[in-house]
Amino acid sequence: MSIEWKDYAPGEFYDELISSPGCAREPAEQLIEYLQTLSDEDINSRKIAAESTIKEMGVSFTVYTEGGNIDRAWPFDILPRVISKTQWDKTAAGLKQRLKALNMFIDDLYHEQKVLKDGIVPEFVLKQSVNYRKECEGVSPRFGVWAHVCGTDLVRDKDGQFYVLEDNLRVPSGVSYMLENRSIMKRVIPEVFEKVNIAPVGDYPENLFDTLAALSPRDVEKPVVVVLTPGIFNSAYFEHAFLAQRMGAELVEGSDLVVLEDNCVYMKTIAGLERVDVIYRRIDDMFLDPEVFHPESVLGVRGLMRAWRAGNVALANAPGAGVADDKVVYAFVPDIIRYYLDEEPLIPNVETFLCYDDKQREYVLANLDKLVVKPANESGGYGMLVGPHSTKKDRETFAELIKANPRNYIAQPTLALSTAPTIVGKNKVEPRHLDLRPFVLQSRDSYVTTGGLTRVAMKKGSLVVNSSQGGGSKDTWIVDTGTGIE
Amino acid sequence: MLSKVAERIYWSARYLERVESTARLLSIYDKLMFDLPRRVNLGWYNLIVINSLEEDFNNRYSVRDERNVVKFLLGDDNNPCSVVNSLRAIRENIRTTRDVIPGEAWEMVNELSLFVQESLAHGVNRSVRHEFLESIVKTCQQIVGLLSVNMTRDEAWEMLQLGQNVERADMTTRNLDAGIAAIQQVQDDDYAVNARQIIWGNVLRSLNADQPYRRAMRSSIKGDTVVDFLMGNEQFPRSLTFCANEIAERSKRLPKSEQVVERALAIRSEVSRLLEADEFGASFRDDLNDLQVSLAEVHGLIQTTWFLSDK
């Protein structure tokens, strides 16, 4: 027996692979055809192979629990998600457009603040932003770029259209899993890669390195690029090590670096101190420099901000870049794109209600059972209210929270997130909701990953895709259906 | 290269060597016990003594039998040098130096670590122990081989060699000491010659040295020649002289190495001096102890020279 696609029913949702019972979407046709040749047993053995591959490759992430930190194997579904190249190219252009405008916005905020003076974004947004850093005012990073690495969360609604759900401009993670997912797939179902014209994803580390190297303040042939990690207990440590290795950069912790009187950053090597040019930092702003931010931080480097302001070291992302991934700012991004680029946004936002506005708040409070409410500055899916899945008590709590601090909350309609066939239990295939996180790079040039990390909510009906909360992932295929190589 | 990375690689090499030698020691020890005349009273506890783990062991167990010794050396959480703990240390060290170690090495270490944890019971169970230990030894050798075939000959490589040779030198002194201690228990009777031969043969096998010994020394197994070989041979990779030479040579390729080189060469001279003795009796155990102290000093110098560069 192989998968019975006629029984697969995504219902009202847009399904990524199946357009109607038994019918594959064009870019997924060859995949479905191939899956048809596999028996239940085949599929099960591939699934087991994927699981042991993940274990052997040591692909893991850390979950914090009361009982300590657990290193968990990466949850992965072997059925890929497929997107056509034509559609992806348009989306990629939209992502570049968005990051370009966001960087102009950040640069403006730390200089003249024209965007506020011209009334595009209300002043209070800045005044109350927890991610605005006064310490960054007047600093001019190279190319005017503050957010060099951006992870943008995209979702598809019922209509099959991509929407931007969130911009992650601080320390977005997940890209290593995107790359590992592909290598797992190549090991587990190599046959398909021979038949289907699947675009490769492996060039990300090279592009990341070029993006970072271009930021070097010294005009040297080989700038010293390091990845700054909070250490082995961080949930994304796997990724930090992975990227450092793939880029040929040093993986450092705060204690490996020192800033001297000359306001330059050095790393401690067996030969003594060596100057560092570019730091790809994977620790939050507030822990970067105990001299300026949290004085008790042991993760950062004393004097780092001095060195950065003096232009002696590049930080990616720049401190303060997070001001633009505030969920209130999010609501204004389409206007921000129009304002700086004089272009229409290529990818729309999800409709967003701002609770600081009396009318919109009223609507939100009256419709809590239908909406998703998010605090402005949380990530990882924490502190959210998913209206349709909430209890009366949850809604009352949130109504109080919103009234107490309206500026801190936004609300969005509950999206009918798209689904894709996912193996659940033994040999059963059911639709599960998913999102997509592509990664966008910008410095001298810009770059978008081919596809991105597809995260999938493994629980039936669930919309929460975060790996820390039981989400899984899938390989993402960008398939050229046009002039494919025969 | 980062000081911290250097330190982690150095320790990875030491632990890797320790896992291999512990597994080998355990895998051949039962054969020694079968061969020795019943009257020679050499217990499993001797393995604890070789590794200077008496205190940790006695805190944990009161019965010094085979089962407890094997359990303690393989998988005990209270033994910092147990195979499981050593592998855990290697795994963490390699995981944090994945940017300089070939990716396949990480996969192999990870696999080995999983394998040992999952099949620990096989090590305690006599009937499958040999196979289990063999596969640990083999995998360690594969990892070392993989590194030596793939690694760039940069500072990371030198650090790996330093760690390996310091650990080996230490192991060799310990095995020699254990050999002499065992010989002292042999009573001077009709079985003595045979028993001595068995014990020294076991020392050689513990260090994977029996075949090289025969080729180099062209002699049957005798105490003096074995000591001579394991301490003074210039070619055998686990002899003290060879290890001291390696430590000096590797260090020379690293910055600021003068002190380490000097100390390593001093060990070499010390070994030559000791080998001039007529026989290696009880007082020789003190000499071996001094050598271990010297090795600890080399280790200390490696630490202050390269791992604590900001101090």
Side-chain angles (χ1 to χ4, degrees):
Chain A
M1 263 287 295
S2 57
I3 301 170
E4 190 47 79
W5 290 106
K6 288 210 170 62
D7 297 342
Y8 176 83
E12 52 167 325
F13 305 106
Y14 179 92
D15 193 85
E16 300 281 339
L17 301 191
I18 304 295
S19 55
S20 61
C23 281
R25 289 188 192 281
E26 197 196 349
E29 269 170 10
Q30 285 166 296
L31 169 69
I32 300 291
E33 219 168 88
Y34 164 76
L35 290 174
Q36 216 73 79
T37 66
L38 300 180
S39 66
D40 279 356
E41 215 168 288
D42 290 337
I43 291 184
N44 201 37
S45 70
R46 311 266 168 148
K47 187 184 166 203
I48 291 166
E51 278 158 12
S52 60
T53 305
I54 288 166
K55 245 179 147 184
E56 278 161 25
M57 284 166 53
V59 187
S60 65
F61 70 103
T62 312
V63 181
Y64 305 95
T65 63
E66 280 169 21
N69 301 327
I70 310 164
D71 217 21
R72 275 207 203 147
W74 179 242
F76 178 72
D77 180 60
I78 59 167
L79 300 183
R81 181 241 199 109
V82 187
I83 301 169
S84 84
K85 184 174 182 298
T86 332
Q87 184 177 30
W88 183 250
D89 289 345
K90 277 188 226 153
T91 311
L95 290 166
K96 285 185 186 173
Q97 174 199 50
R98 194 170 171 103
L99 185 58
K100 191 174 166 197
L102 284 171
N103 271 311
M104 293 171 82
F105 170 67
I106 304 169
D107 202 49
D108 187 15
L109 286 185
Y110 289 114
H111 292 93
E112 294 167 67
Q113 305 191 335
K114 283 187 291 197
V115 70
L116 306 182
K117 287 170 191 149
D118 288 342
I120 308 297
V121 174
E123 297 234 2
F124 88 89
V125 171
L126 189 63
K127 283 212 185 94
Q128 297 184 25
S129 166
V130 295
N131 289 316
Y132 183 76
R133 310 260 173 265
K134 268 203 120 26
E135 299 83 357
C136 300
E137 284 174 0
V139 180
S140 299
R142 261 196 134 172
F143 313 115
V145 174
W146 292 68
H148 311 89
V149 183
C150 170
T152 310
D153 290 344
L154 299 177
V155 291
R156 260 205 242 244
D157 201 1
K158 261 189 260 204
D159 52 8
Q161 161 84 45
F162 275 119
Y163 293 87
V164 174
L165 186 63
E166 221 171 89
D167 304 285
N168 295 286
L169 301 176
R170 284 169 281 178
V171 283
S173 59
V175 74
S176 58
Y177 298 115
M178 172 191 89
L179 297 169
E180 293 289 50
N181 283 354
R182 176 59 53 89
S183 42
I184 297 164
M185 284 302 270
K186 283 184 183 163
R187 287 200 202 182
V188 176
I189 49 169
E191 309 91 314
V192 189
F193 287 85
E194 287 167 5
K195 291 195 194 115
V196 188
N197 199 1
I198 306 161
V201 294
D203 60 349
Y204 180 81
E206 282 77 26
N207 282 285
L208 177 61
F209 183 80
D210 291 343
T211 301
L212 296 170
L215 303 173
S216 171
R218 281 193 303 174
D219 186 20
V220 287
E221 204 186 324
K222 287 181 186 159
V224 176
V225 178
V226 302
V227 178
L228 175 60
T229 172
I232 194 139
F233 298 112
N234 185 269
S235 60
Y237 182 81
F238 168 82
E239 173 158 309
H240 306 159
F242 179 94
L243 290 174
Q245 188 183 35
R246 293 292 172 93
M247 289 195 292
E250 293 285 356
L251 178 66
V252 303
E253 291 175 29
S255 57
D256 295 319
L257 300 179
V258 60
V259 178
L260 298 187
E261 300 264 305
D262 60 0
N263 285 342
C264 290
V265 182
Y266 296 88
M267 59 181 178
K268 299 167 190 170
T269 77
I270 55 168
L273 297 177
E274 187 182 345
R275 169 115 183 240
V276 172
D277 297 297
V278 183
I279 301 176
Y280 177 36
R281 52 99 172 195
R282 296 293 299 257
I283 64 180
D284 290 331
D285 280 4
M286 295 314 281
F287 297 98
L288 272 181
D289 182 354
E291 207 171 272
V292 179
F293 303 119
H294 280 329
E296 68 279 13
S297 167
V298 288
L299 301 177
V301 188
R302 184 167 292 282
L304 191 56
M305 285 295 284
R306 262 191 284 131
W308 177 67
R309 277 201 295 250
N312 291 334
V313 71
L315 292 174
N317 292 347
V323 67
D325 79 6
D326 181 300
K327 292 194 175 64
V328 179
V329 170
Y330 165 86
F332 294 97
V333 174
D335 295 330
I336 288 172
I337 293 174
R338 291 184 196 103
Y339 177 71
Y340 290 105
L341 302 178
D342 199 18
E343 291 170 8
E344 273 305 305
L346 297 173
I347 315 175
N349 260 16
V350 174
E351 187 183 14
T352 304
F353 304 100
L354 295 163
C355 294
Y356 82 89
D357 180 282
D358 293 342
K359 264 205 185 133
Q360 295 183 45
R361 183 174 63 249
E362 220 170 281
Y363 174 83
V364 171
L365 290 173
N367 292 282
L368 279 177
D369 58 331
K370 300 188 192 73
L371 298 171
V372 177
V373 182
K374 298 175 180 176
N377 291 299
E378 281 279 359
S379 61
Y382 291 101
M384 271 173 40
L385 174 83
V386 181
H389 297 183
S390 65
T391 63
K392 187 153 179 271
K393 203 169 159 247
D394 294 338
R395 292 195 289 277
E396 280 165 10
T397 315
F398 264 80
E400 289 311 312
L401 286 170
I402 292 170
K403 283 183 210 155
N405 189 4
R407 150 75 183 94
N408 195 41
Y409 290 93
I410 61 146
Q412 292 167 338
T414 314
L415 297 169
L417 288 197
S418 61
T419 58
T422 303
I423 298 180
V424 292
K426 215 184 166 201
N427 304 329
K428 245 181 112 183
V429 174
E430 285 182 9
R432 287 291 181 269
H433 294 293
L434 36 73
D435 78 351
L436 178 64
R437 178 178 283 188
F439 294 84
V440 195
L441 301 175
Q442 193 190 346
S443 69
R444 182 183 287 128
D445 305 306
S446 58
Y447 166 88
V448 180
T449 48
T450 313
L453 175 66
T454 290
R455 299 184 299 175
V456 47
M458 300 300 282
K459 266 188 262 165
K460 189 170 194 160
S462 168
L463 299 173
V464 183
V465 295
N466 307 80
S467 52
S468 51
Q469 298 190 46
S473 77
K474 284 169 171 288
D475 192 16
T476 310
W477 292 359
I478 304 302
V479 170
D480 193 346
T481 48
T483 51
I485 302 155
E486 294 304 318
Chain B
M1 130 172 275
L2 280 181
S3 299
K4 195 184 289 161
V5 172
E7 185 172 10
R8 285 171 178 162
I9 291 184
Y10 172 83
W11 277 112
S12 301
R14 289 201 68 163
Y15 279 120
L16 199 56
E17 191 65 27
R18 202 170 289 177
V19 168
E20 187 187 329
S21 54
T22 307
R24 187 181 302 109
L25 214 53
L26 281 173
S27 75
I28 58 173
Y29 205 69
D30 50 1
K31 288 187 212 113
L32 169 71
M33 308 286 275
F34 301 149
D35 287 350
L36 278 180
R38 292 286 144 88
R39 308 169 47 189
V40 178
N41 185 19
L42 195 64
W44 280 86
Y45 186 69
N46 190 36
L47 289 180
I48 301 296
V49 180
I50 293 182
N51 289 297
S52 315
L53 294 167
E54 297 96 323
E55 207 184 312
D56 288 321
F57 181 88
N58 292 322
N59 284 339
R60 183 94 170 78
Y61 301 102
S62 50
V63 180
R64 299 172 172 184
D65 63 358
E66 172 181 350
R67 193 182 161 78
N68 285 348
V69 168
V70 172
K71 253 166 71 180
F72 185 75
L73 289 178
L74 274 182
D76 199 296
D77 274 345
N78 297 333
N79 172 11
C81 304
S82 75
V83 168
V84 166
N85 276 338
S86 299
L87 277 170
R88 208 172 275 156
I90 300 170
R91 189 174 178 267
E92 287 308 291
N93 279 312
I94 295 214
R95 196 172 151 202
T96 43
T97 47
R98 278 167 89 174
D99 45 335
V100 290
I101 296 273
E104 301 89 336
W106 155 252
E107 285 189 28
M108 287 183 76
V109 166
N110 195 33
E111 266 174 68
L112 178 60
S113 184
L114 289 171
F115 164 73
V116 172
Q117 277 176 44
E118 281 164 13
S119 355
L120 206 51
H122 292 175
V124 184
N125 179 344
R126 237 185 182 183
S127 62
V128 281
R129 182 190 300 156
H130 188 71
E131 204 183 331
F132 173 70
L133 293 169
E134 278 278 273
S135 61
I136 296 179
V137 170
K138 256 190 209 157
T139 313
C140 286
Q141 290 175 341
Q142 278 169 357
I143 293 169
V144 173
L146 182 138
L147 293 173
S148 82
V149 171
N150 288 303
M151 264 181 84
T152 301
R153 270 25 181 189
D154 58 4
E155 293 121 328
W157 172 252
E158 308 303 347
M159 280 298 160
L160 207 66
Q161 297 304 305
L162 277 181
Q164 186 183 57
N165 281 291
V166 170
E167 186 69 23
R168 282 185 168 181
D170 183 64
M171 267 296 165
T172 300
T173 56
R174 284 176 194 283
N175 276 286
L176 278 170
D177 188 42
I180 289 167
I183 295 291
Q184 285 169 349
Q185 291 186 32
V186 177
Q187 287 162 3
D188 219 352
D189 57 19
D190 293 350
Y191 303 102
V193 176
N194 184 247
R196 287 193 191 109
Q197 222 172 45
I198 290 167
I199 290 170
W200 283 118
N202 188 66
V203 169
L204 286 175
R205 274 192 301 279
S206 306
L207 297 165
N208 232 2
D210 46 346
Q211 205 182 326
Y213 169 87
R214 285 174 208 276
R215 282 182 40 138
M217 308 311 271
R218 302 191 179 191
S219 151
S220 60
I221 292 173
K222 287 189 301 240
D224 294 359
T225 4
V226 169
V227 172
D228 204 34
F229 178 73
L230 289 179
M231 289 191 47
N233 189 282
E234 300 262 353
Q235 275 104 37
F236 178 63
R238 283 188 176 86
S239 88
L240 276 176
T241 301
F242 184 94
C243 293
N245 279 342
E246 274 293 286
I247 294 169
E249 285 309 309
R250 299 298 172 176
S251 299
K252 278 182 197 161
R253 298 177 203 180
L254 295 165
K256 308 180 292 186
S257 62
E258 299 78 6
Q259 275 186 303
V260 182
V261 173
E262 199 180 302
R263 200 70 197 79
L265 292 176
I267 291 184
R268 200 202 132 100
S269 322
E270 180 66 12
V271 167
S272 311
R273 198 185 57 78
L274 290 175
L275 287 178
E276 285 165 14
D278 294 331
E279 56 163 24
F280 304 108
S283 70
F284 185 60
R285 292 191 68 189
D286 295 333
D287 297 331
L288 285 171
N289 195 48
D290 290 345
L291 277 175
Q292 276 185 20
V293 172
S294 299
L295 281 166
E297 279 170 21
V298 170
H299 168 73
L301 280 173
I302 288 174
Q303 236 167 350
T304 47
T305 308
W306 292 303
F307 307 156
L308 304 165
S309 62
D310 54 328
K311 299 270 155 44

